[in-house]
Every structure is written in C-alpha cells, then in structure tokens.
Amino acid sequence: RFHDAHKRARNAMGQAETDAGRQAFRVLTDRYQLLSELKQFIVEQLNTDPRPWIWGSGTTAEDVMGADDNTIRVRTGPMSWNDVTVAQMLKFINIYVATSNQKVKLRTQCRMALAAAVYCLEHGGQSAVAAARTYANRAVGLCPDTSREVERLLDFGSESL
C-alpha cells in the first residue's frame, strides 16, 4: 500500500503549479517512501529475527514465522499485509525500531525511527503525536544530521522537537 501511494503521489507531483505545491508533494512522496521502506525493513526483520507471540494480542497472540511483500506467516497460516491493523504495525515498530539492534546499521536505525514517526503521525490520533515525537527524537539522537529532514517531514505545529 505504501509503495503504491508513493508512486501515485510522485506521478501527481508534476501537476503542482506553485513552488509551495511542489514542496508539499515532495514532502508527501518522501513520507510515503519512508513508509514503504519501513514495511520492507519489518519484512526483513520478521525473516531474520522472528519473534514468538507478536501477531495479535492476549490469548490469541501467535508466533510470526516470517514475511514477504504480500503475507506474514503466522503459525496458523499466512495473513495478508492488508490485515495488519495500526495496533499490529505499532507492535512491530515497537519491537524492531524502538530499540537498538547491533545487526542493523546506524543509518538504517535512524531512517526507520524517522519512518516510525511518520507512521505514527499518519495513522494515529492525538495520542500518536507523543509516539511520533519519541521516534523523531530517536532519529535525531542516532543521527544528528537528520534534524532538518525531521523538521521538513514532520509537522508538530508550533512546537519543535
């Protein structure tokens, strides 16, 4: 879904008639590029570092055995990425992005933290703003040179990081 949204936004960018419009489209396409990368990162992590009990919650939680672009393999069978709820995606993010991983390059951790911040702002309500700030601060903490990119892509209103 994110990849398709990125392509549609990129294709529509040429329709912008003003510099402000082109900048807004660039922000939109860059945000969806990050979301697409986030999904790919999670697919990779689910394959290289599968975890028990991370699909669903409570007594219905299941082990994830791996994933590809279309499905997530849980113990009871394949699940479509279309079945991934916001809560489920946040669970994946909290497991694979929120903490440092020695096996993942620092720049990738930084980029995924920024992508997680974008995801929280795009898919969450008011409570997601705090989570977005946390991930944005993580991105800048890991890679201070990303502070301008964070400010460009994330609109926290009149408050800055």
Side-chain angles (χ1 to χ4, degrees):
R1 297 181 296 190
F2 301 132
H3 179 72
D4 292 339
H6 174 250
K7 283 189 339 189
R8 284 193 304 276
R10 193 178 63 224
N11 291 339
M13 192 180 327
Q15 298 173 13
E17 296 179 5
T18 65
D19 286 341
R22 283 185 284 281
Q23 287 176 333
F25 267 111
R26 188 167 319 286
V27 167
L28 181 67
T29 58
D30 290 350
R31 287 172 69 136
Y32 277 104
Q33 175 64 36
L34 280 167
L35 293 174
S36 181
E37 289 175 26
L38 177 63
K39 179 188 171 192
Q40 287 307 308
F41 175 78
I42 290 174
V43 166
E44 291 169 14
Q45 295 305 302
L46 290 171
N47 288 319
T48 60
D49 187 16
R51 305 281 180 97
W53 311 107
I54 62 170
W55 178 264
S57 62
T59 59
T60 62
E62 295 186 56
D63 298 352
V64 171
M65 315 306 285
D68 60 32
D69 286 341
N70 300 311
T71 59
I72 299 169
R73 292 181 305 282
V74 298
R75 188 164 304 282
T76 57
M79 302 298 289
S80 169
W81 273 97
N82 291 332
D83 295 328
V84 176
T85 64
V86 171
Q88 182 63 60
M89 189 68 167
L90 290 173
K91 192 173 188 179
F92 290 152
I93 288 169
N94 287 331
I95 290 168
Y96 293 115
V97 178
T99 58
S100 294
N101 182 339
Q102 298 285 333
K103 297 176 187 173
V104 177
K105 292 179 183 177
L106 181 65
R107 184 59 64 180
T108 300
Q109 289 183 52
C110 175
R111 192 146 174 90
M112 292 306 98
L114 177 54
V118 169
Y119 185 87
C120 289
L121 282 180
E122 288 284 326
H123 294 88
Q126 191 62 26
S127 63
V129 173
R133 279 186 191 285
T134 298
Y135 286 114
N137 285 326
R138 177 168 169 67
V140 173
L142 291 168
C143 304
D145 63 326
T146 63
S147 61
R148 282 196 179 141
E149 187 76 349
V150 167
E151 289 177 16
R152 184 178 76 82
L153 295 175
L154 302 173
D155 182 9
F156 290 114
S158 61
E159 301 174 33
S160 60
L161 289 179

